[in-house]
Amino acid sequence: MKVLVAVKRVVDYNVKVRVKADNSGVDLANVKMSMNPFCEIAVEEAVRLKEKGVATEIVVVSIGPTTAQEQLRTALALGADRAILVESAEDLTSLAVAKLLKAVVDKEQPQLVILGKQAIDSDNNQTGQMLAALSGYGQGTFASKVEVSGDKVAVTREIDGGAQTVSLKLPAIVTTDLRLNEPRYASLPNIMKAKKKPLEVLTPDALGVSTASTNKTVKVEAPAARSAGIKVKSVAELVEKLKNEAKVI
Amino acid sequence: MTILVIAEHDNKALAPATLNTVAAAAKIGGDIHVLVAGQGAGAVAEAAAKIAGVSKVLNADNAAYAHQLPENVAPLAVELGKGYSHILAAATSNGKNILPRVAAALDVDQISEIISVVSADTFTRPIYAGNAIATVQSTAAIKVITVRATGFDPVAAEGGSAAIEAVGAAHDAGISSFVNEELAKSDRPELTAAKIVVSGGRGMQNGDNFKHLYALADKLGAAVGASRAAVDAGFVPNDMQVGQTGKIVAPQLYIAVGISGAIQHLAGMKDSKVIVAINKDEEAPIFQVADYGLVADLFEAVPELEKLV
């Protein structure tokens, strides 16, 4: 079966971002960008499904600026067969991305679509669910285990109190949680080979999708800073401070 | 304006996060209705009717909603939600699972995990693991929003007397089914609602050593959390994870033991009132947010702390 994987180019997870002085957003100039960690897990899962003989083709798609080609090449080096970039310089909302992905799903007709559970920049946790709604497919969100058998997929999900397993009819949408797998690293020969794999570039207009949004970011501010704390010398002093100064125990 | 709040429950009891969500709805202003979608959840509907400020409870009792599968609950919320100005749910794993499906079906953008209400159409929410706070305005006819429970003080669970209305609508998409559930058992308070949280990280070295934290937690009446490192190493189950991708907590007292303090962990606990860090590395970033820091070996400090509190 064909598996479609969505990946996002985001600020690297180790970077401590700074808010711009004019409060228009965070400063992303000259900041290291990477593939969103949850998307890496999604690519890894697709590659493992292919290694098990379940998946026959892996198509990886990204929606974003021209530079997102770097993340698509990374996915190709990890084992994806071909890539699609829907080029858009705008900052798109999850709904706009879901609509664009729906157009790609219509075109590619995958049996399984794997996304990350959330992007570490916007922290929305929406796109997979929205894509599932638009395509009318079942959704297995926050997946820690995915097992395809016949025309169904069993997804074990991380929920608040523990784990839950649901069975979905294929085609279906799965979003990855941290513990689904441990993503591999791309080897140098695979990075070289990935440069020759096909990468198609589309535009929202070509897909006939409007990316208009009902949300507007008014401003972005730095969170309130915590006042500096103190170091205590002993456990006894700590207990004394918690009891008498902070009064929390 | 009428606001629909989707109740968080397990068919037996109403989850406390619903009270925080109703509090957010009260800040927006207007009539508040609560939707209880489940099976045999009459007690939940009755509890919802008693919440202060709720004027109506919609009780959708159907086998299709028994496990709150989003494929079935979302169409119900869409059908009922069309007459409302806002649809709210707590940012729990259920709320996060269902609500974006509702928003997309209504063709509106969702606003995730709001921490404050500026006005009926403007809200604030953390982005970039809480390193920036965005103010977002929605022009949607129906505003679909998930609420971060720690951002709002819960409303009173008693004092209301809303009417309960049965909803007959049955939506069974037939594309998903529940297989099973494994819930972690714990006698301690729920992590996200606890007043005191004691968390352990990689410094605990193994799962067995968490017994020191359990002993301390039991003495304090606290919940026990963990960092991603401790969960990934298999010390404790993943529903104990505190952080950007785990649970968000804001207790009165957060005690971080053997946790270095990565950005992703801080995102889940830095709104705690008082933060205590116990770590033997005095350069650990956790000390930058801690109100009280103790540089010590946790295997000596934690048992001593347990004795003294």
Side-chain angles (χ1 to χ4, degrees):
Chain A
M1 68 178 189
K2 190 194 272 190
V3 179
L4 184 75
V5 182
V7 301
K8 184 176 186 184
R9 174 184 172 89
V10 297
V11 64
D12 189 85
Y13 73 97
N14 282 314
V15 172
K16 180 133 172 38
V17 295
R18 279 179 208 290
V19 172
K20 284 189 202 165
D22 66 355
N23 293 122
S24 62
V26 299
D27 193 357
L28 294 179
N30 305 316
V31 168
K32 187 186 176 201
M33 303 294 277
S34 302
M35 191 192 297
N36 180 42
F38 291 98
C39 303
E40 287 182 359
I41 296 169
V43 172
E44 175 67 30
E45 194 62 20
V47 174
R48 289 187 190 189
L49 285 173
K50 194 174 175 192
E51 286 168 348
K52 274 193 254 174
V54 177
T56 48
E57 189 188 21
I58 303 168
V59 182
V60 59
V61 55
S62 190
I63 295 164
T66 316
T67 45
Q69 289 196 17
E70 288 168 25
Q71 279 63 47
L72 287 172
R73 290 290 172 202
T74 304
L76 292 170
L78 291 168
D81 297 294
R82 61 190 172 85
I84 300 170
L85 173 66
V86 181
E87 205 171 301
S88 170
E90 292 170 74
D91 212 2
L92 300 174
T93 62
S94 300
L95 182 63
V97 171
K99 285 178 178 172
L100 290 164
L101 289 175
K102 164 73 165 58
V104 175
V105 165
D106 287 346
K107 194 162 149 308
E108 294 287 339
Q109 297 288 318
Q111 284 294 97
L112 188 64
V113 185
I114 313 180
L115 303 90
K117 83 162 173 181
Q118 79 190 62
I120 59 164
D121 52 359
S122 54
D123 281 337
N124 272 329
N125 195 333
Q126 299 173 4
T127 306
Q129 294 89 314
M130 287 180 157
L131 175 61
L134 297 175
S135 49
Y137 296 163
Q139 66 189 51
T141 51
F142 326 143
S144 60
K145 195 173 165 198
V146 175
E147 268 179 299
V148 178
S149 58
D151 63 345
K152 289 207 166 99
V153 58
V155 180
T156 303
R157 310 175 51 235
E158 294 197 0
I159 58 168
D160 287 337
Q164 178 194 63
T165 304
V166 292
S167 171
L168 309 171
K169 239 184 221 168
L170 291 174
I173 312 288
V174 168
T175 74
T176 63
D177 214 320
L178 281 171
R179 276 160 287 273
L180 180 59
N181 59 47
E182 187 80 36
R184 69 192 69 189
Y185 292 98
S187 67
L188 186 59
N190 284 345
I191 292 172
M192 301 310 287
K193 271 186 233 159
K195 292 185 178 171
K196 294 204 177 72
K197 288 186 180 176
L199 192 158
E200 184 185 359
V201 179
L202 299 168
T203 60
D205 286 343
L207 291 168
V209 174
S210 157
T211 55
S213 146
T214 57
N215 277 2
K216 189 177 92 185
T217 300
V218 181
K219 63 180 173 190
V220 175
E221 295 164 301
R226 290 188 75 93
S227 52
I230 56 160
K231 287 237 171 90
V232 293
K233 292 201 172 55
S234 67
V235 174
E237 189 188 347
L238 175 64
V239 173
E240 192 272 321
K241 295 264 188 214
L242 290 177
K243 277 189 177 150
N244 302 323
E245 198 174 279
K247 296 186 171 51
V248 284
I249 56 173
Chain B
M1 273 196 315
T2 317
I3 301 165
L4 182 66
V5 171
I6 301 177
E8 171 79 17
H9 68 92
D10 60 357
N11 288 326
K12 293 183 208 83
L14 188 72
T18 307
L19 300 176
N20 306 78
T21 311
V22 171
K27 287 226 163 99
I28 295 167
D31 263 4
I32 301 170
H33 296 178
V34 174
L35 167 64
V36 177
Q39 187 184 25
V44 177
E46 278 166 34
K50 287 190 195 124
I51 301 175
V54 171
S55 61
K56 187 155 83 173
V57 174
L58 304 168
N59 186 17
D61 193 328
N62 193 288
Y65 310 136
H67 300 286
Q68 297 184 41
L69 296 174
E71 296 80 3
N72 302 344
V73 175
L76 171 73
V78 169
E79 185 191 301
L80 296 172
K82 287 203 167 122
Y84 289 88
S85 62
H86 298 71
I87 303 176
L88 269 55
T92 53
S93 57
N94 258 333
K96 290 178 188 173
N97 196 22
I98 295 168
L99 224 56
R101 204 171 169 111
V102 174
L106 292 168
D107 195 24
V108 298
D109 282 298
Q110 180 186 300
I111 304 180
S112 292
E113 303 216 20
I114 61 161
I115 53 168
S116 79
V117 175
V118 178
S119 68
D121 66 357
T122 308
F123 309 90
T124 67
R125 58 178 301 264
I127 52 175
Y128 290 90
N131 285 305
I133 307 294
T135 303
V136 185
Q137 188 172 28
S138 170
T139 54
I142 305 173
K143 293 160 185 68
V144 179
I145 297 162
T146 59
V147 176
R148 182 174 287 190
T150 57
F152 299 87
D153 292 329
V155 294
E158 301 283 334
S161 56
I164 300 175
E165 192 177 293
V167 175
H171 293 272
D172 190 347
I175 50 175
S176 61
S177 57
F178 171 86
V179 179
N180 65 36
E181 209 161 63
E182 275 175 54
L183 300 180
K185 286 197 188 85
S186 174
D187 301 330
R188 293 186 189 86
E190 201 216 338
L191 191 51
T192 52
K195 288 214 160 47
I196 303 178
V197 173
V198 181
S199 278
R202 201 193 303 271
M204 298 307 296
Q205 295 178 3
N206 59 50
D208 208 29
N209 286 335
F210 262 75
K211 65 173 188 260
H212 298 299
L213 298 191
Y214 294 136
L216 174 61
D218 288 343
K219 208 143 173 210
L220 291 167
V224 179
S227 70
R228 180 184 169 188
V231 174
D232 281 354
F235 300 171
V236 290
N238 54 38
D239 59 305
M240 283 170 63
Q241 184 178 328
V242 171
Q244 182 185 19
T245 62
K247 302 217 167 114
I248 311 288
V249 301
Q252 294 289 307
L253 172 62
Y254 187 89
I255 305 178
V257 182
I259 291 176
S260 64
I263 297 171
Q264 292 78 16
H265 184 74
L266 300 183
M269 46 62 83
K270 68 180 174 188
D271 292 324
S272 306
K273 188 160 168 270
V274 175
I275 298 173
V276 170
I278 300 174
N279 204 306
K280 64 180 174 192
D281 173 13
E282 61 181 312
E283 301 296 321
I286 190 77
F287 287 120
Q288 289 162 22
V289 300
D291 299 283
Y292 301 106
L294 176 65
V295 181
D297 181 8
L298 68 93
F299 295 107
E300 285 163 23
V302 173
E304 196 185 339
L305 184 57
E306 190 216 323
K307 257 183 231 128
L308 291 175
V309 293

